[in-house]
Amino acid sequence: MKNVKYAKCVKCGKEYEATPHTTTCSCGGILDIVYDYDYIKAHFTKDDLAKSQEWSMWRYRPLLPVEPDSPATPLRVGWSPLYKADNLAKELGLKTLYVKDDGQNPTASLKDRASAMAVVKAREAGAKTIACSSTGNAASSLAGNAAAAGIPTYIFVPSRAPKGKVAQLRIFGATVISVDGSYEDTFELSKAAIEKWGWYNRNAAINPYLSEGKKTVTLEIMEQLNWQVPDFIALSVGDGCTIAGAWKGLKDLYAAGFIDKLPRLISVQAEGCCPLNRAIMTDTPWQPMEENTLADSIAVGVPRNADKALMAIRESNGLVINVSDDEILAAMRLLGRTQGVFGEPAGVTGTAGVKKALENNLLDPNSTVVSVVTGNGLKDVANGIKAAGEPMLVRPSMEELLKTFEANGIHP
């Protein structure tokens, strides 16, 4: 990989060759992929992108840590729509708002980006099997992308994982282990199993390439905005891999000369599980928390990508916002009603954070904001119904329909 220099530990600074098997530093720190930006500048331009017909995350291959001859994954991951959300912006009292709907990816979440990268690197490593632990979305994204590539998977999920996500896993042919415990218990069991059987590790805390896949969401946002940098990008945060990857993508674009400034990040967590935001708010080291939120995809009490995530928030002079489960459910309704975008609870947490930041005067109403919807609402139909309510039940007669409308204050 001529575009990559090496992998570097974010804790101690030790450097490693960026091989497909590269995992963590000997000190226990997470590694970061370091690029040769002079080489990238000489071989990759905005004009190249303007001419590209590769409408997936692989249009950014010169900014990704993959071998030039490595085939792309079979499923089309990336190039999800960026909507100018005028209806929602007006309701919130915000000048300009965009919604990046990553629920449009093949398995309906942003985590397809990381899993597609994992599949490519597993192939480069000659691996026969891939495994991971997940609260749900990483699992289903790995199972789907690996199935398309003909690679078997072993997936470890907490028993609380929504049935929609477990259904995806089973449909994609994964061997699913439902762990009767927390996400931390699930992670530790997967780690032990991966070490015992030598499977390729898709866990974000171990594999430095996953945030490189996730960073493509901000590469796309900047290109879709014609390289005009917004003031803020809002993201829901769990283990920290998504916000870390988003920031890495922005820094890569800046270093390669594609953008001339960097936006600020808005890190949004659930009040019932916010170890990273709490660390920023109190200016103390992060501490584990219980996982008390219905937003299962970000219910991570022991975040495995804490170092990179906290660095991203601090480097970007970011905002940290915690939202209640009720505020998350309200955001599901609001986003659906105003923009026709159905996000799962964790998927709309970023939008809930934008609303709360405006209400608390933490965000200038004249700002330009991008809110990333990280997962589709059909993954968690139970909470979708909880947010929106059950439909009206009527007997099949016009008289009964009129009575029901009257009782509910509906006047067609």
Side-chain angles (χ1 to χ4, degrees):
M1 297 182 291
K2 293 181 180 179
N3 60 335
V4 173
K5 288 185 174 180
Y6 45 78
K8 183 177 181 179
C9 177
V10 299
K11 275 190 175 180
C12 72
K14 186 175 180 180
E15 297 175 4
Y16 294 83
E17 182 182 358
T19 68
H21 293 285
T22 298
T23 54
T24 55
C25 180
S26 57
C27 78
I30 299 173
L31 302 183
D32 196 30
I33 305 300
V34 179
Y35 291 87
D36 184 340
Y37 295 111
D38 288 334
Y39 177 86
I40 292 170
K41 286 179 180 179
H43 294 85
F44 190 45
T45 67
K46 294 178 184 178
D47 286 341
D48 293 327
L49 281 172
K51 297 172 185 175
S52 175
Q53 295 299 306
E54 174 58 75
W55 302 111
S56 76
M57 61 181 273
W58 301 112
R59 67 191 280 108
Y60 306 106
R61 184 181 284 263
L63 277 169
L64 297 175
V66 297
E67 297 293 345
D69 57 350
S70 288
T73 45
L75 298 182
R76 183 204 56 77
V77 175
W79 204 249
S80 60
L82 181 72
Y83 300 121
K84 193 167 186 292
D86 291 337
N87 296 337
L88 180 55
K90 182 178 180 180
E91 186 139 344
L92 295 180
L94 183 63
K95 180 181 178 182
T96 308
L97 176 65
Y98 293 90
V99 170
K100 177 71 166 170
D101 186 8
D102 243 42
Q104 298 286 330
N105 278 311
T107 75
S109 85
L110 184 149
K111 293 183 179 180
D112 278 329
R113 299 174 185 274
S115 292
M117 180 62 70
V119 167
V120 170
K121 299 310 288 186
R123 281 171 163 173
E124 290 181 1
K128 303 300 183 185
T129 304
I130 313 177
C132 78
S133 62
S134 165
T135 54
N137 278 336
S140 55
S141 72
L142 174 60
N145 281 276
I151 303 174
T153 54
Y154 285 79
I155 309 293
F156 296 75
V157 296
S159 56
R160 69 164 191 267
K163 291 188 179 298
K165 297 176 183 180
V166 175
Q168 281 186 299
L169 294 172
R170 299 298 293 141
I171 287 293
F172 295 145
T175 299
V176 183
I177 301 93
S178 180
V179 180
D180 186 14
S182 68
Y183 176 69
E184 173 67 7
D185 298 327
T186 306
F187 179 89
E188 290 299 331
L189 183 58
S190 76
K191 181 180 177 183
I194 288 168
E195 289 175 355
K196 178 175 178 62
W197 285 291
W199 301 325
Y200 189 79
N201 196 329
R202 186 242 179 262
N203 286 326
I206 306 297
N207 191 327
Y209 297 108
L210 300 191
S211 60
E212 297 296 316
K214 287 193 173 185
K215 80 180 183 186
T216 59
V217 70
T218 45
L219 304 186
E220 286 177 17
I221 288 169
M222 291 301 101
E223 185 181 3
Q224 288 169 326
L225 290 176
N226 196 28
W227 314 109
Q228 299 302 304
V229 180
D231 299 303
F232 293 91
I233 297 179
L235 301 122
S236 55
V237 176
D239 67 0
C241 187
T242 296
I243 196 167
W247 185 238
K248 178 66 183 301
L250 293 164
K251 290 200 298 182
D252 284 347
L253 288 177
Y254 182 77
F258 281 76
I259 56 177
D260 58 5
K261 63 178 181 178
L262 292 164
R264 298 173 66 187
L265 301 179
I266 304 176
S267 169
V268 190
Q269 293 202 279
E271 287 179 351
C273 192
C274 56
L276 296 176
N277 281 2
R278 185 175 66 177
I280 296 290
M281 291 172 170
T282 60
D283 195 25
T284 58
W286 72 269
Q287 296 292 327
M289 287 187 71
E290 293 186 6
E291 299 167 355
N292 293 325
T293 175
L294 55 78
D296 67 283
S297 292
I298 55 172
V300 182
V302 181
R304 294 293 177 169
N305 224 308
D307 290 337
K308 286 186 181 181
L310 292 172
M311 188 183 305
I313 298 167
R314 290 181 174 125
E315 285 183 357
S316 74
N317 188 28
L319 301 178
V320 289
I321 308 291
N322 296 329
V323 293
S324 68
D325 281 358
D326 284 344
E327 288 169 322
I328 290 171
L329 292 173
M332 291 178 72
R333 294 192 300 272
L334 182 61
L335 190 59
R337 176 172 57 79
T338 61
Q339 297 300 148
V341 173
F342 185 17
E344 66 171 317
V348 306
T349 297
T351 302
V354 172
K355 182 176 186 292
K356 192 166 187 176
L358 286 163
E359 292 169 348
N360 292 342
N361 297 315
L362 298 174
L363 192 59
D364 185 341
N366 291 313
S367 299
T368 296
V369 180
V370 177
S371 182
V372 181
V373 176
T374 55
N376 190 279
L378 290 174
K379 285 175 167 283
D380 191 350
V381 174
N383 276 313
I385 294 295
K386 186 175 181 179
E390 295 283 354
M392 293 179 290
L393 180 64
V394 301
R395 293 177 180 176
S397 77
M398 181 57 71
E399 182 181 359
E400 289 294 328
L401 180 61
L402 291 173
K403 286 180 181 179
T404 302
F405 276 0
E406 184 67 27
N408 286 275
I410 297 174
H411 304 287

